[in-house]
Amino acid sequence: MTSSPKLVQAKVRARSNIALVKYWGKADAALNIPAVGSISITLDGLWTDTEIRFDDSLNADRLVLNGTERADQLDRVSRCLDLVRAQAGTESKAWVTSENNFPTGAGLASSASGFAALVGAATAALEFDCPPRELSILARRGSGSAARSLFGGFVEMHKGEAADGSDSFAEPLLAAPDWPLSVLVAITEKSEKAVGSGPGMALSAQTSPFYKDWVTFHPPDLDAARDAIAARDFSALADVSEWSCLKMHASAMSTVPPLLYWNGATVDCLNRVRALRADGVPVFFTIDAGPQVKAVCLPGAEEDVRRAIESVPGVREVLATGLGPGLERLE
Ligand code: 2P0
């Protein structure tokens, strides 16, 4: 049975996240079930604000992203909204207005904050009371990393075992204030990447000779990161995070054709962070499917790390942020 939405409008903020133990590859592309679990941190300073207004006079959804109507991105957004509509019992189309306060599609997880905000705003506008686990599953259907962005602090995404994806969801491990960390993001390129994460990981699964081992040897990394977070053991978290990052990129680089997301400044930043760490500074690097380097450090090391990476030639800007909360209702 369908009914007209009552509230019809809502605005929310969802933050971006970076995975420390990476997600790369899908067990089921149609249901967007990941092949591996992941563990991430939610970033306070990088967010998507999304307003949704359901409007019975529309015959199709409309999407405005950063002030520009994006018909090219609408399909993916509408498919995710269709899942919310089916569960909430409405057929109304929606205006979706979304703003990122950071570069879109450049390896800063704009799809994570974007789809988390989308399902958060849509369920709020429809007054559809969706439990966190179910909301996380809806966000996952939009983008795997979005399932994590609904929650603050340290978050684990479970790959699950069920063929229908009903146990593939994210949940919080530790709240942001319980272990403050700083993240410095070295922006080395602001344009959108040539190959997105979704197509990239599909190609890796098909062609990388290392992909099978990436999946096979992944679970111990989740255990190590979970233990390190529970013990607030920075050095152990640093070891497993850097390793997971490099293993993910080894799968990407060994894809046919190769997915080399790095540029020269990416490598120089990575080496700068390694040198700092070798000197005893509590910092480690991670890099997603893009050329930006994220340096994660204890708050007391932030200024040393900033100085070290902002002087790397090719670094255009350094963003600094702490860990942030989960989904927030704005009005
Ligand atoms: C991660 N990435 O764990 C990894 C590391 C990129 C590198 O999750 O196809 O945009 O939408 O489920 O979520 C980016 O992948 O992929 C990502 P889809 P998504 O953060």
Side-chain angles (χ1 to χ4, degrees), residues 17 29 146 152 231 270 304 329:
N17 73 76
L270 186 153
D304 283 350
R329 186 79 181 264

Side-chain angles (χ1 to χ4, degrees), residues 17 19 21-24 26 32 38 76 111 142-146 148 197-198 201 248 288-289:
N17 73 76
V21 179
K22 302 293 189 190
Y23 151 48
W24 193 252
K26 297 176 198 284
N32 208 29
S38 51
R76 199 171 163 193
S111 70
S143 184
S145 52
R148 304 185 308 237
S197 302
M201 58 178 85
M248 183 209 103
D288 285 331

Side-chain angles (χ1 to χ4, degrees), residues 121-276:
T123 51
L126 294 169
E127 295 187 336
F128 172 47
D129 191 14
C130 191
R133 174 174 166 157
E134 303 312 315
L135 194 61
S136 175
I137 288 172
L138 283 170
R140 185 203 82 219
R141 296 288 297 272
S143 184
S145 52
R148 304 185 308 237
S149 263
L150 294 167
F151 308 104
F154 298 79
V155 180
E156 178 163 7
M157 174 78 195
H158 304 284
K159 74 177 178 70
E161 303 298 334
D164 66 356
S166 55
D167 57 356
S168 177
F169 64 98
E171 62 182 346
L173 289 174
L174 189 69
D178 291 340
W179 193 16
L181 297 179
S182 296
V183 182
L184 291 116
V185 183
I187 311 265
T188 65
E189 175 64 62
K190 291 193 177 177
S191 57
E192 295 197 23
K193 59 197 168 204
V195 182
S197 302
M201 58 178 85
L203 214 53
S204 289
Q206 285 162 19
T207 65
S208 167
F210 304 148
Y211 178 79
K212 197 163 151 276
D213 283 348
W214 154 255
V215 174
T216 303
F217 293 101
H218 194 274
D221 294 354
L222 292 169
D223 296 338
R226 211 182 297 114
D227 289 349
I229 291 163
R232 321 286 203 273
D233 184 338
F234 187 85
S235 175
L237 187 62
D239 285 345
V240 70
S241 300
E242 291 188 346
W243 200 39
S244 180
C245 167
L246 293 176
K247 286 194 292 181
M248 183 209 103
H249 283 279
S251 299
M253 287 177 198
S254 52
T255 298
V256 185
L259 295 167
L260 183 54
Y261 287 111
W262 303 354
N263 59 34
T266 312
V267 179
D268 290 341
C269 285
L270 186 153
N271 281 325
R272 200 63 72 88
V273 171
R274 279 162 62 86
L276 281 175

Side-chain angles (χ1 to χ4, degrees), residues 88-111:
T90 181
E91 289 176 358
S92 287
K93 305 297 184 196
W95 274 104
V96 181
T97 310
S98 215
E99 300 276 340
N100 292 332
N101 76 336
F102 59 92
T104 300
L108 288 172
S110 53
S111 70

